[in-house]
Amino acid sequence: MRKTLAWIMGAGSFLGLASSTLANGWNMPAGVTDVSREIYSLHMTIFWICVVIGIVVFGVMFYSLFRYRRSRGAKSANFHENTSVEVVWTAVPLLILVGMALPATATLKRMYDASEADLDVMVTGQQWRWHYEYLGENVSFTSSLSTPRSQINGEEEKGENYLLDVDQPLVLPVGRKVRFLMTSDDVIHSWWVPDLAVKQDSIPGFVNENWVRIEEPGIYRGQCAELCGKDHAFMPVVVRALEGDEFDSWLAERRKEAEAEASGVDREWSMDELMERGEQVYGAICATCHQPDGSGAEPTFPALAGNEALLNDRDRHIDVVLNGVSGTPMAAFRSNLNPVELAAVITYERNAWGNESGDVVQPSEIQALLEQ
Amino acid sequence: MNPVQRTVFRTVLALMGMFAFAFALVPLYDAFCQVTGINGKVGDQPRSIANEEVDTSRYVTVQFITRSGKGMPWQLEVEHRQMRVHPGQPTEVNFAFSNNSGKALTGRAVPSVSPSQASLHLRKVQCFCFEEQHLEAGERLEAPLVFQLTRDLPPDINTVTLVYTLYPVTDSQSQLQAQTSPVRGGGV
Amino acid sequence: MWEVIKSVLAAFFGVQKERQRQHDFQHGKPGAFIAVGIVMAAVLVMLVAAVAIMAAR
Amino acid sequence: MASNLPPKPTLEHSTTTSGGLAHEHHERPRGMLRWLLTTNHKEIGTLYLIFSLTMFFIGGIFALVVRAELFQPGLQLVQPEFFNQMTTMHGLIMVFGAVMPAFVGLANWMVPLQVGAPDMALPRLNNFSFWLLPVAFTLLLSTLLMPGGGPNFGWTFYAPLSTTYAPPSTTFFILSLHMAGISSILGAINIIATILNLRAPGMRLMDMPLFVWTWLITAFLLIAVMPILAGVITMMLMDINFGTSFFNAAGGGDPVLFQHLFWFFGHPEVYIMILPAFGIVSAIIPTFARKPLFGYASMVYATASIAILSFLVWAHHMFVVGLPLVAELFFMFTTMLIAVPTGVKVFNWIATLFQGSITFETAMLFALAFVVLFSIGGFSGLMLAIAPADFQYHDTYFVVAHFHYVLVPGAIFAIMAGVYYWLPKWTGHYPDERLGRWHFWMSVIGVNLTFFPMHFSGLAGMPRRIPDYALQFADFNMVSSVGALMFGVSQLLFVWGVIKCVRGGEKAPAKAWEGAEDLEWSVPSPAPLHTFDTPPDFKPVTH
């Protein structure tokens, strides 16, 4: 008797916990697009169907356990088949499944809609950051985690958006259809923002498509969803959705910045300027693997501090940063960073942490290499 | 053979069959992809132009994206980033490879098409992606792509994106390619 | 033959009368059941694929 | 590989000859050597079970390292590199080292007893397939100490993370997986040969207990898919060491092909880990309900349907890799279809309980918990089958919750139920019921505390395989970690209970459980080393 009660209470408290936490925002977000809301309602429909089936099935089960226990004097019957009952419990689930499949198919077709988009964004996954390129707009940038290391290591209190903050969010317009082209430079990543209901693998050498039409301005956060190595947990996605006109002026601003930066290529940079800029770039891009103090993590990530081979061969250093090293996690940064950033970070690496080569790499030199 | 031996013999036969099947799946998958258009794979052989009337009532946007993979000091440039074509119309677009490094190198442009269903309706008559390229230090090479989107391209597809990613060809790879060709020969 | 198909169908559905099963296992040849089973599995695949293709239109 | 097996059986085994085990009556080696050289199915079964229990604890410790790191946000105990090795090793060890060998161990013990055979059909092969396992897993565990660490790419080892970007130890990982695979294949051949050839005279296939049936189908699944796994890891080996490009886009290969091949193996593998569990539960529920199993034939058919369908659903693991619409629909429909035979099984168990005369021994408690908790895993599986919704569920803790519900209170509870059920036959003593009940309730509470909150953290957006997480997932992770510790510690009660039972306890008669019907209950308890040297007189019970 007590046992059975415990069983029933156990099951009941599950359902109670389930519904109360669902109400408290621990559920899938309904999101801010048509598709995300459809997926949400699909999810809830199936969830409640499962709950109802569960109550009926477990109800019969617990009733039997309670009613037919031997301590209550139950004598066992001897039946072991009943064709009509079996037909019913095969056919009914089949019908329920058809009922689930119909709306699911409709939603899926809407997700695969390939109609013309207003904006194309190329999303490239890299260990362990995202690179965004607004196709045809001459705007592209890399977006990496901006949560400071000290918060991760517990030396500082964790901020509100711990692990979900980036240096440069992807900015998208509201009310326009944005098409994503996803690919990767190294391993498979998966770009995911729950509020947009977009999750798509980015696969090296191949291109995947997805799209979104955001309905409300705001900041939407997500993460890489496919295990991609050491810092899989540390490559968040942040999307900032702006009203159409705000977006247009943002894009124009970025385009102007890109042009300004391009013109900076021609002038002579001082060592201090390059070191300052290089430290920023290094912190945002290189420090996750090669460590903030350049000590690396052997054998995968070689140390840069005191790396004689690198310090003695300036050309090799430039080549590695520009073109990466095939068969290792070292990516090619030629198209992810601009010549100023490339020159600065190489100069920084050759002169920081006791590396006293005294070498200065000018943006114009990198530019020449890129254009050759 | 006693019955136990017979059973064992049959299961071992089935085992070896399944092991071979795993390897057979590799070319089968490629073939299946080309038939069904999964993954945006396009054939690695030139195809002829389908003789069909150009559908002037419809425009499709074709985008070209070029990328360089790891350890690849080359650049691939394209004449137009984007163009509008009619289904059925053969189109030529020029690409240029340039080797920015100080050494000669063999490379390959791996193609991918999005949306993947479009690859069924894409006929490449001439493409640099059919073979490997060898460039001397500082060399520049122009290579055209001639393609046609057939008229049966599904009406809901308005944009087709062709992506080419440059990868270096290592020695062991090119030797192996030579042996195993055409199954996994040069490019997809 | 029809008997075999009927029994295999019942098996796919997961429902079979004890009497019919006894009958099958006394009279049927296992080879025939396996062959029909494989064919039916292939038919099932094609059926689902056809539904999927139609639904995708 | 598969071509250099099997050693020819030296003995004629057939259903008509009896007492053919002459060599067994020679002077037997003693001590360690006895266990090393044994060809007795009961001793090998025991070895398998002890090995699997050991691996269960090693894999469990890895899981506890993972849960300890996830107890609160931030990096406290381990670095991400090591964390990834822990999640990977936990998965590999639990799947290939704990669950599969446990089922093979149970099959070794029980299949000959249930079909009335004197031993397995190929006793020496049996010895070999067991001893491959300790070698394989010692090698696998040793990779943790190698430079660059052990495998860190998840138990699904997706290329190119597991090829181009893998640690140098990956070649050893491949080798050990090959060995574990060969062991499973040999075990499967042996089980098939035993079931098809050594049944007691008069026992037709449709008279076999369901545990034997489910294992027969499982063994065929193993024969079909383990070679595929062997093929995939061989291709990986070639990509890593010989410059091929099966999965390397740079050489014209395709990383997605890896996933297709892996899941073509991987999905049937999931059923390999659950079908024998269905068999165990189908033996225990009728016993303690004192009523024949409802729908014996439909149980067999449902098992066969699940096995066939398992080959048609693999790409539901890949809904977000960019499949075309038709493929998404096809795999969504086939996956949903699997719910039908699975539902039939659950309904049959419940119909068996209906109008029974039920008692709640520990084995029954675990079997009942299996029915309920496995069904919960089934429900979340149904939700995951809905392709559009899977775009949100995929690779989150919702998936982790789902497959742990089918594997922990699913497969592992069924194994424990089987152990409690057959312990009297193995040891001649009843297990301590009081201790068993403590173990059961601690496990049930622990399991649910661990895995139920994962549904919510997953839905709220927590990706799987991360060593650190955003603050909104903190509460649920803390509960999960506490639950995991509780579940882990309560397994010590299990070990204590088993040891206690081996050493003594209430004496069990041949038919230890009132409602038990199958052949194993006709031999004395504990079962002597040699049973059914003369084939038993089998009288079919009407199922």
Side-chain angles (χ1 to χ4, degrees), chain D residues 148-466:
Chain D
N152 57 9
F153 27 66
W155 87 273
T156 51
F157 48 97
Y158 279 7
L161 189 61
S162 63
T163 53
T164 319
Y165 297 85
S169 64
T170 306
T171 303
F172 295 99
F173 151 78
I174 291 173
L175 188 63
S176 66
L177 214 52
H178 262 310
M179 281 196 274
I182 292 171
S183 164
S184 301
I185 287 171
L186 298 183
I189 292 179
N190 213 339
I191 288 168
I192 292 175
T194 308
I195 296 175
L196 293 186
N197 299 296
L198 300 193
R199 290 193 309 278
M203 184 189 274
R204 297 161 305 172
L205 285 178
M206 276 315 225
D207 297 325
M208 300 191 307
L210 261 172
F211 179 64
V212 178
W213 251 119
T214 50
W215 239 115
L216 181 65
I217 293 169
T218 303
F220 278 117
L221 282 181
L222 279 167
I223 297 284
V225 301
M226 291 313 278
I228 304 278
L229 174 69
V232 177
I233 57 179
T234 307
M235 290 177 210
M236 275 175 64
L237 189 77
M238 289 163 74
D239 271 10
I240 293 172
N241 296 311
F242 304 117
T244 56
S245 299
F246 287 103
F247 308 130
N248 182 4
D254 184 348
V256 176
L257 171 66
F258 174 88
Q259 297 183 28
H260 280 291
L261 292 176
F262 179 83
W263 287 114
F264 189 74
F265 146 79
H267 203 79
E269 166 71 18
V270 171
Y271 290 99
I272 286 167
M273 290 192 285
I274 202 67
L275 293 185
F278 289 163
I280 294 169
V281 171
S282 302
I284 292 173
I285 287 184
T287 299
F288 296 103
R290 293 165 184 77
K291 189 164 154 280
L293 183 68
F294 186 90
Y296 171 86
S298 61
M299 282 300 225
V300 174
Y301 293 149
T303 312
S305 313
I306 291 174
I308 291 172
L309 283 173
S310 75
F311 287 100
L312 304 175
V313 298
W314 76 89
H316 68 213
H317 298 268
M318 306 165 54
F319 278 148
V320 306
V321 297
L323 297 175
L325 180 58
V326 176
E328 299 255 338
L329 289 171
F330 177 84
F331 287 107
M332 174 167 85
F333 296 154
T334 50
T335 306
M336 292 172 85
L337 273 182
I338 285 202
V340 176
T342 314
V344 165
K345 291 204 153 263
V346 173
F347 300 147
N348 280 339
W349 289 322
I350 292 174
T352 308
L353 293 172
F354 189 75
Q355 294 190 357
S357 170
I358 304 167
T359 50
F360 298 92
E361 283 80 356
T362 310
M364 182 66 159
L365 289 177
F366 272 104
L368 293 173
F370 170 92
V371 174
V372 175
L373 299 178
F374 174 80
S375 301
I376 291 178
F379 287 139
S380 56
L382 188 57
M383 295 170 80
L384 284 160
I386 308 293
D390 187 66
F391 275 79
Q392 293 279 42
Y393 305 139
H394 182 82
D395 264 341
T396 66
Y397 261 80
F398 190 79
V399 178
V400 178
H402 159 71
F403 68 75
H404 279 95
Y405 260 90
V406 284
L407 286 177
V408 184
I412 288 179
F413 271 25
I415 292 166
M416 285 171 173
V419 169
Y420 280 110
Y421 180 59
W422 284 310
L423 263 178
K425 184 53 58 193
W426 300 341
T427 65
H429 310 292
Y430 283 105
D432 184 334
E433 278 299 324
R434 219 176 113 80
L435 201 55
R437 271 201 297 276
W438 270 98
H439 171 223
F440 170 75
W441 285 109
M442 296 269 290
S443 296
V444 165
I445 294 168
V447 146
N448 286 298
L449 271 185
T450 312
F451 299 116
F452 210 76
M454 289 184 183
H455 289 117
F456 302 116
S457 42
L459 290 175
M462 180 165 164
R464 62 192 282 210
R465 293 165 167 167
I466 54 173

Side-chain angles (χ1 to χ4, degrees), chain A residues 278-297:
Chain A
E279 189 171 3
Q280 290 168 7
V281 178
Y282 185 86
I285 306 285
C286 317
T288 43
C289 301
H290 295 289
Q291 303 304 316
D293 61 355
S295 61

Side-chain angles (χ1 to χ4, degrees), chain A residues 190-202:
Chain A
S190 195
W191 195 88
W192 179 35
V193 180
D195 278 314
L196 309 185
V198 173
K199 183 188 281 147
Q200 194 77 57
D201 283 358
S202 82

Side-chain angles (χ1 to χ4, degrees), chain A residues 117-136:
Chain A
D118 304 310
L119 175 70
D120 291 337
V121 179
M122 181 102 182
V123 179
T124 309
Q126 295 163 351
Q127 283 178 327
W128 290 274
R129 60 189 78 84
W130 296 99
H131 183 259
Y132 302 113
E133 184 183 354
Y134 295 75
L135 291 180

